[in-house]
Structure formats: C-alpha cells, structure tokens
Amino acid sequence: MSFTGIPVAALDFYEDLEADNTKSFWTAHKHIYDEQVKAPIEALSAALEPEFGAPKFFRPYRDVRFSKDKTPYKTHQGVWFTESARYLHISAAGLFVAGGYWDTSSAQVDRLRRAVADDVSGAELERAVAAVGKAKFELGGQQLTRVPSGYPKQHPRAELLRYKSLTAHREIGCPAWLSTKRAQTEIAKALRGLAPLVNWLETHVGRD
C-alpha cells in the first residue's frame, strides 16, 4: 500500500493499550493494530527506505523474561533504520524521532572518548551538537556520573566525555499533518536534521 498518513486511530489504539495491556484486549483489537498501526507504518518505512536504508520493524511483544514489568505488549511501534542510524516510533503521545549510536561496544566507547577529547574532532562535535539543538533535538545517551579515568576532570568538553552512547531525539507529537501524506515529507525532514550528529559518529566512532 502507498503511504497516506498515520491515522489518529493508531494513537487511540496505544492509548487504549496503555489502559488495558492484556492478551484479551490485544486479541480483540489486533485487527486495529494491523490496519491502523502496522500497515501505515510499514508503508511509511518503505517510502523512507531509499534515503535511510532498509527498516527493521520491531515486534509488538515485550520480552518479559528478565523484567519486573510483565505487561505483554509494547506501547509504541518502533522502526530502526540501521544503515543511517535513525529511529522513529508511534505511541499514544504521537511521533518520536531519533538518531545516533544507542548500543555501543567498549571499543566504540573508547573511540568516542578519544574523539571528544581531541581538539579538532571535539570541536566538530560541539558544532554538530549545536546544529541538532537548533533543529529542536535533545541530546541523549548513557552517561557516567563523572568524567572517565584518563581524562582531566576540567576538560572543556567534560560533559560530552561522560557519554558512553550518544543520541539525539525529538518528541514531535501529533501535528495536523501526521494523518496526511505530508507526514512522509515532514518525517524525512526531521530525520535529515539528525545528520550533523550521525555523520560525526560515523566518521569518528564508526561501526564494529
């Protein structure tokens, strides 16, 4: 199917699921998930694929084996574009977009810290962070409580040195265009806005 927007019914579905996260609710309303959530987001992902790479469509079921929270279903539908390190999801709150490196290896963390500490690449990162901030993204990622050993506590980029993973995200919510074909254009624009940070990570940290 071609993408025509993310219906309000998708957000309503997740609002109801948050209130009744049970197998009985899911079974009775799975057709709504299939038609109003899964189908339009798969169509959107296919439309974005030429620019952002093949999408990974996350399963709606939670892994509860090691969690105290035993609710069986995720309250959002996420899509991860591995090639471009971009992510989006839909929930009761609306649209959320993000990008960057979430799950970093020890080797990547080491490269990240060295690049942050370097005068040239570190300054480039500061410019990248400023650029995504101007585009209304919020910096995120796993952080240490203090500057890692081996780096001066008074380093000019001490705050950035504390990151073990580095991302940026924006809660877009439910603007009027979300349920229209214009959503594809606006979402692609938002994902492009992450380029300064993602490009810096690809250049100075890289994949394992």
Side-chain angles (χ1 to χ4, degrees):
M1 63 176 285
S2 59
F3 178 70
T4 58
I6 298 171
V8 174
L11 281 60
D12 291 341
F13 170 81
Y14 280 115
E15 185 175 2
D16 293 340
L17 182 62
E18 287 180 359
D20 186 6
N21 197 319
T22 62
K23 185 176 181 180
S24 59
F25 174 88
W26 182 267
T27 301
H29 297 83
K30 188 176 183 298
H31 66 285
I32 299 176
Y33 168 79
D34 290 336
E35 297 166 7
Q36 305 296 328
V37 179
K38 186 176 181 180
I41 296 180
E42 283 184 336
L44 171 64
S45 301
L48 295 172
E49 182 173 354
E51 181 172 355
F52 299 103
K56 175 185 177 182
F57 197 85
F58 289 100
R59 298 172 72 247
Y61 313 105
R62 296 183 63 249
D63 184 353
V64 300
R65 291 174 298 173
F66 309 107
S67 174
K68 292 181 179 179
D69 179 3
K70 298 300 181 182
T71 52
Y73 305 104
K74 297 174 183 174
T75 54
H76 62 271
Q77 178 58 64
V79 181
W80 168 240
F81 299 89
T82 304
E83 294 174 40
S84 60
R86 304 301 208 279
Y87 172 82
L88 64 86
H89 78 226
I90 288 293
S91 69
L95 175 67
F96 173 92
V97 297
Y101 283 14
W102 276 265
D103 187 16
T104 47
S105 67
S106 57
Q108 285 177 305
V109 174
D110 181 61
R111 293 195 295 269
L112 172 62
R113 290 171 179 167
R114 285 190 281 110
V116 170
D118 182 81
D119 288 341
V120 176
S121 56
E124 291 173 358
L125 176 58
E126 288 178 310
R127 290 192 291 272
V129 169
V132 295
K134 188 175 181 180
K136 301 181 180 179
F137 286 95
E138 182 180 340
L139 206 63
Q142 185 181 0
Q143 286 181 289
L144 300 174
T145 56
R146 61 189 67 186
V147 175
S149 61
Y151 296 93
K153 294 181 180 179
Q154 302 305 317
H155 192 283
R157 286 176 294 281
E159 184 72 13
L160 289 169
L161 278 169
R162 294 198 294 113
Y163 281 96
K164 296 181 64 178
S165 58
L166 196 56
T167 65
H169 62 272
R170 189 192 336 161
E171 292 274 6
I172 294 178
C174 188
W177 50 255
L178 188 62
S179 59
T180 72
K181 291 176 67 174
R182 179 183 162 194
Q184 178 183 334
T185 300
E186 296 295 337
I187 293 170
K189 187 189 302 182
L191 293 174
R192 289 185 203 114
L194 290 155
L197 178 63
V198 172
N199 292 346
W200 186 91
L201 288 165
E202 298 281 46
T203 299
H204 298 288
V205 179
R207 316 287 179 103
D208 280 345

